[in-house]
Structure formats: structure tokens, C-alpha cells
Amino acid sequence: SRAQADLERLLSAMGTPAKVECKERAGNVVLNVVAPEHESLLIGRRGQTAEALQTLINEFMGRREGDPTLYLVVDVADYHGRAEERLIERAKELAGQVLRDGGQVSMGQLSSAERRVVHLTLKEMQGVESFSVGQGSIKKLVIQKLA
């Protein structure tokens, strides 16, 4: 894809040449960067560099294609994919606990992207609901048994 080629050019210009694979995950197009010698640098602290690359490529593609709804996910060495799988597992475990014991349980502070994954995951489960509490982009996510 054009986005794939654009991201490869950007990475070369940054002095971190890499191969970019195009995948699909949860209905999104994912550009996964494969660069064994630059992975930790391109992931950044808690995935921040990968997120910055994602913002850049989305801005660029959105402008060029004239489509503001275009949304691409940039991942490095499946960092976010693996983190997302762990998040989904944890959400399902806690939802199971809530179904068994009742009440509510907090998953702690999550980013908007993480909350979206959990809300979509738990939407498919009977008997539980999830909601966010707090201000700003980082909020607490709570899972509770439906009355």
C-alpha cells in the first residue's frame, strides 16, 4: 500500500530503515514495523514513539487522500498487538470474577485506545458492563455485574 511505502521512506529518512508489513487487527489496517536493530528505539517509552509515528502517518495520509476518516495503526514488532492480547485476557478474567462474585472491579488507569479495546471486548459478554471514570485522556475503567 502507499502508506506502507510512505512509512518505509519516513523510517529511512530517520536513519532507522525498516521493513513494514501490512496486516489487519480488530477491523483496523495495521502497519507493523520490523526492524530488529531499532525496535526498542522505535517503540519508545511505553510505546510513545510508535504512537508518534502513527499520528504522523495518519496526518500525512489523511491530507494526501483527502479522507479525514482514514485511520491506520502503526505498531513495532507487534508491541501493541501483544499488549492488546494481554489487556483482553485481563478484562475477561476480571469480568468472570465480577460475574461470579458480583460488585465491581477496576482495571486501573487506561488510555482511550485501551478503554476502547476493553469496552468492545466486554460488549460481547452477557451480564457485565464497563464504564470509564475520571477526567482527561487517562481514565479509570470499571467493570460491573449488570443488575
Side-chain angles (χ1 to χ4, degrees):
S1 76
R2 284 167 69 173
Q4 202 172 347
D6 289 336
L7 185 54
E8 284 180 352
R9 276 198 300 279
L10 174 64
L11 291 163
S12 285
M14 287 169 53
T16 51
K19 182 158 179 26
V20 176
E21 322 166 318
C22 207
K23 302 175 169 186
E24 194 178 309
R25 187 168 69 226
N28 289 318
V29 173
V30 178
L31 299 174
N32 186 48
V33 178
V34 182
E37 61 284 5
H38 306 299
E39 276 170 9
S40 59
L41 179 69
L42 291 173
I43 291 169
R45 196 159 158 233
R46 297 190 68 206
Q48 287 173 323
T49 307
E51 279 178 36
L53 285 168
Q54 178 174 303
T55 302
L56 265 174
I57 210 77
N58 276 303
E59 279 288 310
F60 181 69
M61 288 299 292
R63 284 198 185 136
R64 189 178 66 194
E65 306 296 322
D67 181 0
T69 64
L70 195 68
Y71 183 72
L72 300 162
V73 175
V74 173
D75 203 350
V76 178
D78 279 323
Y79 172 83
H80 286 294
R82 291 192 311 267
E84 200 171 282
E85 283 167 23
R86 287 193 299 275
L87 189 66
I88 288 169
E89 282 307 302
R90 199 166 134 247
K92 286 179 176 175
E93 277 172 32
L94 291 173
Q97 180 187 319
V98 163
L99 283 171
R100 218 177 33 249
D101 307 335
Q104 43 176 237
V105 66
S106 168
M107 281 193 72
Q109 306 281 328
L110 299 177
S111 71
S112 60
E114 290 168 326
R115 291 194 310 273
R116 182 172 176 264
V117 168
V118 173
H119 289 315
L120 289 172
T121 299
L122 297 182
K123 203 179 217 172
E124 297 164 15
M125 286 183 79
Q126 296 290 313
V128 293
E129 66 179 345
S130 59
F131 58 92
S132 302
V133 180
Q135 255 82 51
S137 61
I138 303 290
K139 296 180 183 145
K140 199 162 95 174
L141 187 134
V142 177
I143 302 168
Q144 73 179 10
K145 189 171 182 171
L146 284 170

